[in-house]
């Protein structure tokens, strides 16, 4: 699956371009997690989004025209989808995210609490911290308009040291000295690092991108992102380039499923036909399923199948509302074509 919804976190892609002060505007700094409590946790680092999803558009959207939609949904998105998806699958997760006193922050907080998410990584601010995306959704694609209020990002290395996770999920491509230093900490702690791309700028011609990809365990762009990053003409060629930099490469291909390469072996997993309600959040749900199986020690084919199952199931509901639980994952995997 390659549709990943809205993921915009305050802070630049290149850490050199942001002075991430990590200051608390209100609230209390989280206490370090230690011992067995930290041993199986996934640290998710990324901003929330509230996705306003319009479905079944009566025609093309253009300035000067009003277009009616047949359906509408307002759902939490962004890195919320990763934390929520992991929680539904039974994974312990800490989500490092910022919230304000605005209605969108409060909406996501309410849903996060209803999903019983761990709030230890939440940071609260006495001002608006709005992250809003309008998604115009068709069965085959979607267009988005996004807005976010700026907020100082917490240093990634500090978060890793604090929570000492078994795995780290980064929703978008990021690179630069501070990121590489943080991933060195993750490697020292033995944490699995999973990174998506989310159409953030950067190419494999850039030394900083090459370096950070070499520090990542799993890199999971969609097909368009893989082609853009590598300059390749085909997904197969793009995978060949990326496999020379990352130990495990996964390329999401929407309703065609996904392909992966690891240790010189390349495999594919087809999706299955479903009635599509909304593709927003499908890529994130894929990521959750893949990492969940990875942390169980499953083979690459099983991880890929779990990712495709989670991504496919998610498009049957608005946003990430149809994210699977553990029992649902088993049912959907069983339905996948061989």
């Amino acid at each position: 699956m390659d549709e990943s919804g809205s993921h915009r976190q305050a802070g630049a892609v290149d850490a050199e371009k942001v002075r991430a002060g990590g200051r608390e505007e209100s609230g209390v700094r989280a206490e370090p997690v230690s011992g067995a409590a930290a041993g199986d946790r996934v640290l998710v680092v990324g901003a929330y989004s509230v996705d306003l999803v319009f479905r079944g558009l009566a025609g093309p959207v253009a300035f000067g025209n009003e277009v009616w939609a047949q359906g509408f949904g307002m759902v939490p998105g962004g890195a919320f989808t990763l934390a929520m998806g992991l929680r539904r699958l039974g994974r312990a997760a800490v989500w490092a995210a910022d919230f304000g006193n605005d209605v969108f922050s409060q909406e996501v907080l309410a849903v996060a609490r209803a999903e019983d998410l761990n709030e230890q990584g939440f940071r609260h601010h006495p001002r608006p911290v709005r992250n809003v995306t309008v998604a115009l959704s068709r069965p085959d694609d979607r267009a988005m308009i996004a807005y976010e209020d700026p907020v100082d990002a917490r240093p990634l290395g500090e978060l890793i040291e604090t929570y000492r996770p078994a795995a780290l999920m980064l929703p978008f491509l990021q690179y630069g000295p501070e990121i590489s230093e943080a991933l060195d900490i993750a490697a020292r702690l033995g944490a699995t690092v999973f990174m998506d791309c989310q159409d953030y700028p950067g190419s494999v011609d850039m030394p900083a991108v090459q370096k950070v990809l070499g520090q990542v365990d799993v890199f999971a762009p969609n097909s368009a992102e893989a082609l853009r990053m590598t300059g390749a003409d085909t997904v197969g060629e793009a995978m060949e380039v990326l496999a020379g930099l990352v130990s495990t490469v996964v390329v999401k291909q929407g309703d065609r499923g996904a392909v992966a390469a690891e240790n010189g072996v390349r495999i594919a997993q087809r999706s299955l036909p479903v009635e599509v309600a909304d593709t927003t959040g499908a890529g994130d749900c894929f990521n959750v399923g893949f990492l969940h199986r990875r942390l169980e020690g499953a083979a690459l084919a099983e991880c890929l199948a779990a990712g495709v199952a989670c991504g496919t199931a998610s498009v049957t509901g608005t946003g990430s509302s149809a994210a699977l639980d553990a029992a649902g994952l088993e049912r959907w995997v069983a339905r996948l074509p061989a």
Side-chain angles (χ1 to χ4, degrees):
M1 310 301 297
D2 64 350
E3 294 83 3
S4 300
S6 161
H7 297 269
R8 293 294 184 263
Q9 173 177 311
V13 175
D14 188 330
E16 290 183 309
K17 298 177 184 176
V18 165
R19 301 325 317 159
R23 59 187 172 86
E24 301 284 344
E25 293 187 37
S26 82
V28 180
R29 183 177 298 276
E31 292 299 320
V33 179
S34 60
D40 62 351
R41 290 198 175 183
V42 180
L43 173 61
V44 177
V45 182
Y48 83 84
S49 173
V50 168
D51 294 331
L52 308 178
V53 183
F54 294 82
R55 305 185 308 277
L57 304 182
V61 177
F63 285 105
N65 293 334
E66 181 177 41
V67 178
W68 285 87
Q70 296 177 353
F72 172 77
M74 183 172 74
V75 293
F80 164 85
T81 300
L82 300 174
M84 178 273 293
L86 289 164
R87 177 73 180 118
R88 286 193 182 182
L89 290 176
R91 289 263 162 218
V94 172
W95 175 26
D98 292 276
F99 299 92
N101 58 10
D102 56 281
V103 64
F104 298 109
S105 291
Q106 299 310 306
E107 171 71 16
V108 176
L109 278 170
V111 179
R113 287 162 180 162
E115 293 281 350
D116 196 27
L117 299 192
N118 185 325
E119 298 186 41
Q120 192 171 9
F122 293 178
R123 190 170 60 165
H124 300 274
H125 305 267
R127 61 177 179 83
V129 181
R130 297 164 295 182
N131 285 274
V132 186
T133 296
V134 174
L136 309 177
S137 181
R138 303 185 317 196
D140 60 329
D141 206 350
R142 76 272 186 273
M144 296 184 294
I145 303 172
Y147 173 82
E148 68 172 0
D149 286 316
V151 61
D152 288 337
R154 282 172 281 184
L156 181 60
E158 177 184 295
L159 289 169
I160 296 169
E161 289 275 23
T162 297
Y163 296 108
R164 307 178 75 83
L168 170 67
M169 289 198 86
L170 300 175
F172 62 91
L173 174 67
Q174 43 194 312
Y175 49 86
E178 288 184 22
I179 300 301
S180 287
E181 289 172 11
L183 296 188
D184 282 340
I185 297 172
R188 188 167 67 248
L189 295 174
T192 297
V193 179
F194 186 110
M195 180 183 282
D196 203 329
C197 184
Q198 292 297 335
D199 206 28
Y200 273 65
S203 74
V204 295
D205 294 331
M206 301 169 62
V209 172
Q210 293 178 14
K211 180 174 177 59
V212 81
L213 290 180
Q215 297 174 285
V216 168
D217 296 289
V218 182
F219 183 57
N222 64 35
S223 53
E225 294 160 351
L227 294 173
R228 178 190 56 76
M229 285 189 66
T230 61
D233 294 324
T234 68
V235 169
E237 292 172 357
M239 290 189 67
E240 192 72 25
V241 174
L242 292 171
L245 299 170
V246 189
S247 58
T248 303
V249 178
V250 181
V251 177
K252 293 166 279 190
Q253 298 185 293
D255 59 7
R256 291 175 293 162
V259 291
E262 183 178 76
N263 298 325
V265 176
R266 189 180 300 182
I267 63 172
Q269 174 61 62
R270 291 182 295 150
S271 185
L272 70 158
V274 295
E275 184 173 347
V276 177
D278 174 36
T279 60
T280 307
D284 290 321
C285 289
F286 174 100
N287 295 345
V288 166
F290 187 99
L291 181 63
H292 173 65
R293 281 286 192 262
R294 178 94 174 192
L295 293 176
E296 291 180 335
L300 180 62
E302 296 174 87
C303 298
L304 196 61
V308 170
C310 286
T312 303
S314 77
V315 306
T316 64
T318 302
S320 58
S321 60
L324 296 175
D325 59 15
L329 174 58
E330 299 305 324
R331 291 193 299 270
W332 277 82
V333 166
R335 296 175 57 192
L336 291 176

